[in-house]
Coordinates of all heavy atoms in Angstrom, one line a residue:
H1 N 10.1 15.0 -10.6 CA 9.8 13.5 -10.6 C 8.7 13.2 -9.7 O 8.5 13.8 -8.6 CB 11.1 12.8 -10.1 CG 12.3 13.2 -10.9 ND1 12.4 12.6 -12.3 CD2 13.5 13.8 -10.8 CE1 13.6 13.1 -12.8 NE2 14.2 13.8 -11.9
S2 N 8.2 12.1 -10.0 CA 7.0 11.6 -9.2 C 7.1 10.1 -9.0 O 7.5 9.3 -9.8 CB 5.6 12.0 -9.8 OG 5.5 11.3 -11.1
L3 N 6.6 9.7 -7.8 CA 6.6 8.3 -7.5 C 5.4 7.6 -8.1 O 4.3 8.0 -7.9 CB 6.5 8.1 -6.0 CG 6.5 6.7 -5.4 CD1 7.7 6.0 -5.7 CD2 6.2 6.8 -3.9
E4 N 5.7 6.6 -9.0 CA 4.6 5.9 -9.6 C 4.5 4.4 -9.3 O 3.5 3.8 -9.3 CB 4.7 6.0 -11.2 CG 4.5 7.5 -11.7 CD 4.7 7.6 -13.2 OE1 4.9 6.6 -13.9 OE2 4.7 8.8 -13.7
T5 N 5.6 3.8 -8.8 CA 5.7 2.4 -8.5 C 6.4 2.2 -7.3 O 7.5 2.8 -7.1 CB 6.4 1.6 -9.7 OG1 5.6 1.7 -10.8 CG2 6.4 0.1 -9.4
L6 N 5.9 1.3 -6.4 CA 6.8 0.9 -5.2 C 7.2 -0.6 -5.5 O 6.3 -1.5 -5.9 CB 5.9 0.9 -3.9 CG 5.7 2.3 -3.5 CD1 4.7 2.2 -2.2 CD2 6.9 3.0 -3.1
D7 N 8.3 -1.0 -5.3 CA 8.8 -2.3 -5.4 C 8.4 -3.2 -4.3 O 8.2 -2.7 -3.1 CB 10.4 -2.3 -5.5 CG 10.9 -1.8 -6.8 OD1 10.2 -1.8 -7.9 OD2 12.0 -1.1 -6.9
T8 N 8.4 -4.5 -4.5 CA 8.1 -5.4 -3.5 C 8.9 -5.3 -2.3 O 10.2 -5.1 -2.3 CB 8.3 -6.9 -4.0 OG1 7.3 -7.0 -5.1 CG2 8.0 -8.0 -3.0
A9 N 8.4 -5.2 -1.1 CA 9.0 -5.2 0.2 C 9.8 -4.0 0.5 O 10.8 -4.1 1.2 CB 9.9 -6.5 0.4
V10 N 9.4 -2.9 -0.2 CA 10.2 -1.6 -0.2 C 10.4 -1.1 1.3 O 11.5 -0.6 1.6 CB 9.7 -0.5 -1.1 CG1 8.4 -0.1 -0.7 CG2 10.7 0.6 -1.3
F11 N 9.4 -1.3 2.1 CA 9.5 -0.9 3.5 C 9.6 -2.0 4.5 O 9.4 -1.9 5.6 CB 8.1 -0.1 3.8 CG 8.0 1.1 3.1 CD1 7.0 1.2 2.1 CD2 8.9 2.2 3.4 CE1 6.9 2.5 1.5 CE2 8.7 3.3 2.7 CZ 7.7 3.5 1.7
E12 N 9.9 -3.3 4.0 CA 10.1 -4.4 4.9 C 11.0 -4.2 6.0 O 12.0 -3.7 6.1 CB 10.7 -5.6 4.1 CG 10.7 -6.9 4.8 CD 11.1 -8.1 4.0 OE1 11.4 -7.9 2.8 OE2 11.1 -9.3 4.6
D13 N 10.5 -4.6 7.2 CA 10.9 -4.5 8.5 C 11.3 -3.1 8.9 O 12.2 -2.8 9.7 CB 12.3 -5.4 8.7 CG 11.9 -6.8 8.3 OD1 10.9 -7.3 8.9 OD2 12.7 -7.5 7.8
C14 N 10.6 -2.1 8.4 CA 10.8 -0.8 8.8 C 10.0 -0.5 10.1 O 8.8 0.0 10.0 CB 10.4 0.3 7.8 SG 10.7 2.0 8.2
E15 N 10.5 -0.9 11.2 CA 9.7 -0.9 12.4 C 9.4 0.5 13.0 O 8.4 0.6 13.8 CB 10.5 -1.6 13.5 CG 10.6 -3.2 13.2 CD 11.5 -3.9 14.2 OE1 11.9 -3.2 15.3 OE2 11.7 -5.1 14.0
S16 N 9.9 1.6 12.5 CA 9.6 2.9 13.0 C 8.5 3.6 12.1 O 8.1 4.7 12.4 CB 10.9 3.8 12.9 OG 11.4 3.9 11.6
L17 N 8.1 3.0 11.0 CA 7.2 3.5 10.1 C 5.8 3.4 10.8 O 5.3 2.3 11.1 CB 7.1 2.7 8.8 CG 6.0 3.3 7.7 CD1 6.5 4.8 7.3 CD2 6.1 2.3 6.5
K18 N 5.1 4.5 10.9 CA 3.8 4.5 11.7 C 2.6 4.9 10.9 O 1.6 4.3 11.0 CB 3.9 5.6 12.8 CG 4.9 5.2 13.9 CD 4.9 6.2 15.1 CE 5.9 5.8 16.1 NZ 6.0 6.7 17.1
T19 N 2.7 5.7 9.8 CA 1.7 6.1 9.0 C 2.2 6.3 7.5 O 3.5 6.6 7.4 CB 1.0 7.4 9.4 OG1 1.9 8.5 9.2 CG2 0.4 7.3 10.8
I20 N 1.4 6.1 6.6 CA 1.8 6.4 5.2 C 0.6 6.8 4.4 O -0.5 6.4 4.7 CB 2.5 5.2 4.6 CG1 3.0 5.5 3.2 CG2 1.4 4.0 4.4 CD1 4.2 4.6 2.8
E21 N 0.8 7.7 3.5 CA -0.2 8.1 2.6 C 0.3 7.8 1.2 O 1.4 8.1 0.8 CB -0.4 9.6 2.7 CG -1.5 10.0 1.6 CD -1.9 11.5 1.6 OE1 -1.6 12.2 2.5 OE2 -2.5 11.9 0.6
I22 N -0.5 7.2 0.5 CA -0.2 6.7 -0.9 C -0.5 8.0 -1.8 O -1.6 8.4 -1.8 CB -1.0 5.6 -1.5 CG1 -0.6 4.3 -0.6 CG2 -0.7 5.3 -2.9 CD1 -1.4 3.2 -0.8
P23 N 0.5 8.5 -2.3 CA 0.3 9.8 -3.1 C -0.5 9.7 -4.3 O -0.7 8.4 -4.9 CB 1.8 10.2 -3.6 CG 2.5 9.0 -3.5 CD 1.9 8.0 -2.5
E24 N -0.9 10.8 -4.9 CA -1.8 10.7 -6.2 C -1.2 10.2 -7.3 O -1.9 9.5 -8.1 CB -2.5 12.1 -6.4 CG -1.4 13.1 -7.0 CD -2.1 14.4 -7.3 OE1 -2.5 14.6 -8.4 OE2 -2.0 15.3 -6.4
R25 N 0.1 10.1 -7.5 CA 0.7 9.7 -8.7 C 1.1 8.3 -8.7 O 1.5 7.7 -9.6 CB 2.0 10.4 -9.1 CG 1.5 11.9 -9.4 CD 2.6 12.5 -10.2 NE 2.3 14.0 -10.5 CZ 1.5 14.4 -11.4 NH1 1.0 13.7 -12.3 NH2 1.3 15.7 -11.6
L26 N 1.1 7.6 -7.5 CA 1.4 6.2 -7.3 C 0.3 5.3 -7.9 O -0.9 5.4 -7.6 CB 1.7 5.8 -5.8 CG 2.0 4.3 -5.7 CD1 3.4 4.1 -6.0 CD2 1.7 4.0 -4.2
T27 N 0.7 4.5 -8.9 CA -0.4 3.8 -9.6 C 0.0 2.3 -9.8 O -0.9 1.5 -10.2 CB -0.5 4.2 -11.1 OG1 0.8 4.2 -11.7 CG2 -1.0 5.6 -11.2
N28 N 1.1 1.9 -9.1 CA 1.5 0.5 -9.2 C 2.2 0.1 -8.0 O 3.2 0.8 -7.6 CB 2.3 0.1 -10.4 CG 2.6 -1.3 -10.7 OD1 1.7 -2.1 -10.3 ND2 3.9 -1.7 -11.0
V29 N 2.0 -1.1 -7.3 CA 2.7 -1.7 -6.3 C 3.1 -3.0 -6.7 O 2.2 -3.9 -7.0 CB 1.9 -1.6 -5.0 CG1 2.8 -2.2 -3.9 CG2 1.6 -0.2 -4.5
E30 N 4.4 -3.3 -6.8 CA 4.8 -4.7 -7.1 C 4.6 -5.6 -5.9 O 4.5 -5.2 -4.8 CB 6.3 -4.7 -7.4 CG 6.8 -3.7 -8.5 CD 6.3 -4.2 -9.9 OE1 6.2 -5.4 -10.0 OE2 6.0 -3.4 -10.7
Y31 N 4.3 -6.8 -6.2 CA 3.9 -7.8 -5.2 C 4.5 -9.2 -5.6 O 4.4 -9.5 -6.7 CB 2.4 -7.9 -5.0 CG 2.2 -8.9 -3.8 CD1 2.2 -8.5 -2.5 CD2 1.8 -10.2 -4.1 CE1 1.9 -9.4 -1.5 CE2 1.6 -11.1 -3.2 CZ 1.6 -10.7 -1.8 OH 1.3 -11.6 -0.8
D32 N 5.0 -9.9 -4.6 CA 5.6 -11.2 -4.8 C 5.1 -12.0 -3.6 O 5.3 -11.8 -2.5 CB 7.2 -11.1 -4.8 CG 7.8 -12.4 -5.1 OD1 7.5 -13.5 -4.5 OD2 8.8 -12.4 -5.8
N33 N 4.4 -13.1 -4.0 CA 3.9 -14.0 -3.0 C 4.9 -14.6 -2.0 O 4.6 -14.9 -1.0 CB 3.2 -15.2 -3.7 CG 1.8 -14.6 -4.1 OD1 1.1 -13.8 -3.6 ND2 1.3 -15.2 -5.3
E34 N 6.1 -14.8 -2.6 CA 7.1 -15.4 -1.7 C 7.8 -14.4 -0.8 O 8.2 -14.7 0.4 CB 8.3 -16.1 -2.6 CG 7.7 -17.2 -3.4 CD 8.7 -18.1 -4.0 OE1 9.9 -18.0 -3.6 OE2 8.4 -18.8 -4.9
I35 N 7.8 -13.1 -1.1 CA 8.4 -12.0 -0.3 C 7.4 -11.5 0.6 O 7.8 -11.3 1.8 CB 9.1 -11.0 -1.2 CG1 10.2 -11.5 -2.0 CG2 9.5 -9.9 -0.3 CD1 10.8 -10.7 -3.1
G36 N 6.2 -11.3 0.1 CA 5.2 -10.7 1.0 C 4.9 -9.4 0.5 O 5.3 -8.9 -0.5
G37 N 4.1 -8.7 1.4 CA 3.7 -7.3 1.0 C 4.8 -6.2 1.3 O 5.8 -6.5 1.9
I38 N 4.5 -5.0 0.8 CA 5.5 -4.0 1.0 C 5.7 -3.4 2.3 O 6.7 -2.8 2.6 CB 5.2 -2.7 0.0 CG1 3.9 -2.1 0.3 CG2 5.2 -3.2 -1.4 CD1 3.6 -0.8 -0.4
F39 N 4.8 -3.8 3.2 CA 4.9 -3.4 4.6 C 5.1 -4.6 5.6 O 4.9 -4.4 6.7 CB 3.7 -2.6 5.0 CG 3.4 -1.4 4.3 CD1 2.4 -1.2 3.4 CD2 4.4 -0.3 4.4 CE1 2.3 0.0 2.8 CE2 4.3 0.9 3.7 CZ 3.2 1.0 2.9
K40 N 5.7 -5.7 5.1 CA 5.9 -6.9 6.0 C 6.9 -6.4 7.0 O 8.0 -6.0 6.8 CB 6.5 -7.9 5.0 CG 6.8 -9.2 5.9 CD 7.3 -10.3 5.0 CE 7.6 -11.6 5.9 NZ 8.3 -12.5 5.1
G41 N 6.6 -6.7 8.3 CA 7.4 -6.4 9.4 C 7.4 -5.0 9.8 O 8.1 -4.7 10.7
C42 N 6.5 -4.2 9.4 CA 6.3 -2.9 9.8 C 5.4 -2.8 11.0 O 4.1 -2.6 10.9 CB 5.8 -1.9 8.7 SG 6.9 -1.8 7.4
T43 N 5.9 -3.2 12.2 CA 5.0 -3.6 13.4 C 4.5 -2.3 14.0 O 3.5 -2.4 14.8 CB 5.9 -4.3 14.4 OG1 7.0 -3.6 14.7 CG2 6.3 -5.7 13.8
S44 N 4.9 -1.2 13.7 CA 4.4 0.1 14.2 C 3.4 0.8 13.3 O 2.7 1.7 13.7 CB 5.4 1.1 14.6 OG 6.4 0.5 15.5
L45 N 3.2 0.2 12.2 CA 2.2 0.8 11.1 C 0.8 0.8 11.7 O 0.3 -0.4 11.9 CB 2.4 0.2 9.8 CG 1.7 0.8 8.7 CD1 2.1 2.3 8.3 CD2 1.8 -0.1 7.4
T46 N 0.2 1.9 11.8 CA -1.3 2.0 12.3 C -2.2 2.6 11.3 O -3.4 2.6 11.5 CB -1.3 2.6 13.7 OG1 -0.7 4.1 13.5 CG2 -0.5 2.0 14.7
S47 N -1.7 3.4 10.3 CA -2.6 4.1 9.4 C -1.9 4.0 7.9 O -0.9 4.4 7.8 CB -2.8 5.6 9.9 OG -3.5 6.2 9.0
I48 N -3.0 3.7 7.0 CA -2.5 3.9 5.6 C -3.7 4.5 4.9 O -4.9 4.2 5.1 CB -2.5 2.5 5.0 CG1 -1.3 1.7 5.7 CG2 -2.2 2.7 3.5 CD1 -1.3 0.3 5.3
T49 N -3.3 5.7 4.3 CA -4.4 6.4 3.6 C -3.9 6.6 2.2 O -2.9 6.5 1.8 CB -4.6 7.8 4.3 OG1 -3.3 8.5 4.2 CG2 -5.2 7.7 5.7
V50 N -5.0 7.0 1.3 CA -4.6 7.2 -0.1 C -5.1 8.6 -0.5 O -6.2 9.0 -0.1 CB -5.3 6.1 -1.0 CG1 -5.1 6.4 -2.5 CG2 -5.1 4.8 -0.7
S51 N -4.3 9.3 -1.2 CA -4.7 10.5 -1.6 C -5.9 10.6 -2.5 O -6.2 9.6 -3.3 CB -3.6 11.3 -2.5 OG -4.1 12.3 -3.3
P52 N -6.9 11.4 -2.1 CA -8.2 11.4 -2.8 C -8.0 11.7 -4.3 O -8.9 11.4 -5.1 CB -9.1 12.4 -2.2 CG -8.1 13.3 -1.4 CD -6.8 12.5 -1.1
N53 N -6.9 12.2 -4.7 CA -6.6 12.5 -6.1 C -6.0 11.4 -6.9 O -5.7 11.5 -8.1 CB -5.8 13.7 -6.3 CG -6.5 15.0 -5.8 OD1 -7.7 15.1 -5.9 ND2 -5.8 15.9 -5.1
N54 N -5.7 10.2 -6.1 CA -5.1 9.0 -6.8 C -6.0 8.5 -7.6 O -7.1 8.2 -7.4 CB -4.7 8.0 -5.7 CG -3.9 6.9 -6.3 OD1 -4.4 6.1 -7.0 ND2 -2.5 6.7 -5.9
T55 N -5.6 8.2 -9.0 CA -6.5 7.6 -9.9 C -6.6 6.0 -9.9 O -7.4 5.4 -10.6 CB -6.1 8.1 -11.4 OG1 -4.7 7.6 -11.6 CG2 -6.1 9.6 -11.5
A56 N -5.6 5.5 -9.2 CA -5.6 3.9 -9.2 C -6.2 3.3 -7.9 O -6.7 2.1 -7.9 CB -4.2 3.5 -9.5
F57 N -6.0 3.9 -6.8 CA -6.2 3.2 -5.5 C -7.2 4.2 -4.7 O -7.3 5.4 -4.7 CB -5.0 3.2 -4.7 CG -4.0 2.2 -5.4 CD1 -2.7 2.9 -5.9 CD2 -4.3 0.9 -5.8 CE1 -1.8 2.1 -6.4 CE2 -3.4 0.2 -6.5 CZ -2.1 0.8 -6.8
S58 N -7.9 3.5 -3.7 CA -8.7 4.1 -2.6 C -8.4 3.3 -1.4 O -7.9 2.3 -1.5 CB -10.1 4.3 -3.1 OG -10.6 2.9 -3.2
H59 N -9.0 3.8 -0.3 CA -8.7 3.0 1.0 C -10.1 3.1 1.8 O -10.9 4.1 1.7 CB -7.6 3.6 1.7 CG -7.9 4.9 2.4 ND1 -7.8 6.1 1.8 CD2 -8.1 5.2 3.8 CE1 -8.0 7.1 2.7 NE2 -8.3 6.5 3.9
F60 N -10.3 2.2 2.7 CA -11.3 2.1 3.6 C -10.8 1.2 4.8 O -10.5 0.1 4.6 CB -12.7 1.7 2.9 CG -13.8 1.6 3.9 CD1 -14.4 2.9 4.3 CD2 -14.2 0.5 4.4 CE1 -15.4 2.8 5.2 CE2 -15.4 0.5 5.2 CZ -15.9 1.6 5.7
E61 N -10.9 1.9 6.0 CA -10.6 1.1 7.2 C -9.3 0.3 7.0 O -9.1 -0.9 7.4 CB -11.6 0.1 7.6 CG -12.9 0.9 7.9 CD -14.0 0.0 8.5 OE1 -13.9 -1.2 8.4 OE2 -15.0 0.6 8.9
G62 N -8.2 1.0 6.4 CA -6.9 0.3 6.4 C -6.6 -0.7 5.3 O -5.6 -1.1 5.1
V63 N -7.7 -0.7 4.5 CA -7.4 -1.8 3.3 C -7.5 -0.9 2.1 O -8.3 0.0 1.9 CB -8.7 -2.8 3.2 CG1 -8.6 -3.7 2.1 CG2 -8.7 -3.6 4.5
V64 N -6.6 -1.2 1.2 CA -6.5 -0.5 -0.2 C -7.1 -1.3 -1.2 O -7.0 -2.4 -1.3 CB -5.0 -0.3 -0.5 CG1 -4.8 0.4 -1.8 CG2 -4.3 0.5 0.7
Y65 N -8.0 -0.6 -2.0 CA -8.8 -1.1 -3.0 C -8.4 -0.4 -4.4 O -7.8 0.7 -4.4 CB -10.2 -0.8 -2.7 CG -10.9 -1.3 -1.5 CD1 -10.7 -0.7 -0.2 CD2 -11.6 -2.5 -1.5 CE1 -11.4 -1.3 0.9 CE2 -12.0 -3.1 -0.4 CZ -11.9 -2.4 0.8 OH -12.4 -3.0 1.9
N66 N -9.0 -0.9 -5.4 CA -8.9 -0.2 -6.7 C -9.7 1.2 -6.5 O -10.5 1.2 -5.5 CB -9.4 -1.1 -7.8 CG -10.9 -1.4 -7.7 OD1 -11.5 -1.4 -6.7 ND2 -11.5 -1.7 -8.9
K67 N -9.6 2.0 -7.4 CA -10.4 3.2 -7.2 C -11.8 3.2 -6.9 O -12.5 3.9 -6.2 CB -10.1 4.2 -8.4 CG -10.5 5.6 -8.2 CD -9.8 6.5 -7.1 CE -10.2 7.8 -6.9 NZ -9.5 8.5 -5.8
E68 N -12.5 2.3 -7.7 CA -13.9 2.1 -7.5 C -14.4 1.2 -6.3 O -15.5 1.1 -6.1 CB -14.4 1.3 -8.7 CG -14.2 2.1 -10.0 CD -12.8 1.9 -10.6 OE1 -12.1 1.0 -10.2 OE2 -12.3 2.9 -11.3
K69 N -13.4 0.8 -5.5 CA -13.7 0.0 -4.3 C -14.3 -1.3 -4.6 O -15.2 -1.9 -3.9 CB -14.4 0.8 -3.2 CG -13.5 1.8 -2.6 CD -14.2 2.4 -1.4 CE -13.4 3.4 -0.8 NZ -13.8 4.7 -0.8
T70 N -14.1 -1.9 -5.9 CA -14.8 -3.1 -6.3 C -13.8 -4.2 -6.1 O -14.3 -5.5 -6.1 CB -15.2 -3.0 -7.8 OG1 -14.2 -2.7 -8.6 CG2 -16.4 -2.0 -7.8
K71 N -12.5 -4.0 -6.0 CA -11.6 -5.1 -5.8 C -10.6 -4.8 -4.6 O -10.0 -3.7 -4.7 CB -10.7 -5.4 -7.1 CG -11.7 -5.9 -8.2 CD -10.7 -6.1 -9.4 CE -11.7 -6.5 -10.5 NZ -10.8 -6.7 -11.8
I72 N -10.3 -5.8 -3.8 CA -9.2 -5.6 -2.8 C -8.0 -5.9 -3.6 O -7.9 -6.9 -4.2 CB -9.5 -6.5 -1.6 CG1 -10.6 -6.1 -0.8 CG2 -8.1 -6.4 -0.7 CD1 -10.9 -7.1 0.3
K73 N -7.0 -4.9 -3.4 CA -5.7 -5.2 -4.1 C -5.0 -6.3 -3.5 O -5.1 -6.6 -2.2 CB -4.9 -3.9 -4.1 CG -5.6 -2.7 -4.7 CD -6.3 -3.0 -6.2 CE -5.1 -3.2 -7.2 NZ -5.6 -3.3 -8.5
T74 N -4.1 -6.9 -4.2 CA -3.4 -8.1 -3.6 C -2.3 -7.7 -2.5 O -1.9 -8.5 -1.8 CB -2.5 -8.8 -4.7 OG1 -1.7 -7.7 -5.3 CG2 -3.6 -9.5 -5.7
F75 N -2.1 -6.4 -2.4 CA -1.2 -5.9 -1.3 C -2.1 -5.4 -0.2 O -1.8 -4.3 0.4 CB -0.2 -5.0 -1.8 CG -0.7 -3.7 -2.5 CD1 -0.9 -2.6 -1.8 CD2 -1.1 -3.7 -3.9 CE1 -1.4 -1.4 -2.4 CE2 -1.7 -2.7 -4.5 CZ -1.7 -1.5 -3.7
N76 N -3.1 -6.0 0.2 CA -4.0 -5.6 1.3 C -3.0 -5.5 2.7 O -2.6 -6.4 3.2 CB -5.1 -6.7 1.6 CG -5.9 -6.4 2.8 OD1 -5.5 -5.7 3.7 ND2 -6.9 -7.2 2.9
F77 N -2.7 -4.2 2.8 CA -1.7 -3.9 3.8 C -1.8 -4.6 5.1 O -0.8 -5.1 5.7 CB -1.5 -2.4 4.0 CG -1.3 -1.8 2.8 CD1 -2.1 -1.0 2.1 CD2 0.1 -1.9 2.1 CE1 -1.8 -0.3 0.9 CE2 0.4 -1.3 1.0 CZ -0.5 -0.4 0.4
L78 N -3.0 -4.6 5.8 CA -3.2 -5.2 7.1 C -2.9 -6.7 7.1 O -2.6 -7.2 8.1 CB -4.6 -4.8 7.6 CG -4.8 -3.3 7.8 CD1 -6.2 -3.1 8.3 CD2 -3.8 -2.7 8.7
S79 N -3.1 -7.4 6.0 CA -2.8 -8.8 5.8 C -1.3 -9.1 5.7 O -1.0 -10.2 6.0 CB -3.6 -9.4 4.8 OG -5.0 -9.3 4.8
Y80 N -0.6 -8.1 5.5 CA 0.8 -8.4 5.2 C 1.8 -7.6 6.2 O 3.0 -7.4 5.8 CB 1.2 -8.1 3.7 CG 0.4 -9.0 2.8 CD1 -0.6 -8.6 2.1 CD2 0.7 -10.5 2.7 CE1 -1.3 -9.4 1.2 CE2 0.0 -11.2 1.8 CZ -0.9 -10.7 1.1 OH -1.7 -11.5 0.3
L81 N 1.3 -7.2 7.3 CA 2.2 -6.5 8.1 C 3.2 -7.4 8.8 O 4.3 -7.0 9.0 CB 1.4 -5.9 9.2 CG 0.5 -4.7 8.7 CD1 -0.3 -4.1 10.0 CD2 1.2 -3.6 8.1
Y82 N 2.9 -8.5 9.1 CA 3.8 -9.4 10.0 C 4.2 -10.6 9.1 O 3.6 -11.2 8.3 CB 3.2 -9.8 11.2 CG 2.7 -8.7 11.9 CD1 1.2 -8.3 12.0 CD2 3.6 -7.8 12.6 CE1 1.0 -7.2 12.7 CE2 3.1 -6.8 13.2 CZ 1.9 -6.4 13.3 OH 1.4 -5.4 14.0

């Protein structure tokens, strides 16, 4: 089995989460404006990276973009930590 989708707020308030790598097979992250991002409340989170083999996402300085880095994804992690 492989992880392809993360639901909205899946890691919400996970204060012990420090780093995360988005795996190559993850292609969708659910987002809800009323709930917030998937890392809302993850106050210890300092590093987000994306597998270079991921076909949907890329990262630069903690921000997750589409693969081509032409669009910031709506779940810009650093904007939704708190």
Side-chain angles (χ1 to χ4, degrees):
H1 299 293
S2 63
L3 179 66
E4 294 179 7
T5 299
L6 288 178
D7 291 329
T8 300
V10 66
F11 296 109
E12 184 173 3
D13 296 324
C14 184
E15 295 177 4
S16 63
L17 183 64
K18 295 180 181 180
T19 64
I20 191 159
E21 179 180 346
I22 297 174
E24 71 179 270
R25 297 202 187 273
L26 182 73
T27 57
N28 186 40
V29 175
E30 301 292 328
Y31 182 82
D32 184 317
N33 284 326
E34 294 192 21
I35 294 174
I38 63 172
F39 296 112
K40 180 180 178 187
C42 297
T43 56
S44 298
L45 186 61
T46 59
S47 174
I48 300 168
T49 58
V50 178
S51 167
N53 297 323
N54 186 294
T55 60
F57 305 116
S58 60
H59 75 282
F60 180 72
E61 295 184 355
V63 178
V64 176
Y65 297 87
N66 64 339
K67 188 64 176 181
E68 297 78 23
K69 290 190 176 113
T70 58
K71 295 181 183 177
I72 295 175
K73 302 310 289 180
T74 57
F75 57 96
N76 174 343
F77 299 107
L78 297 180
S79 296
Y80 297 108
L81 291 180
Y82 306 104

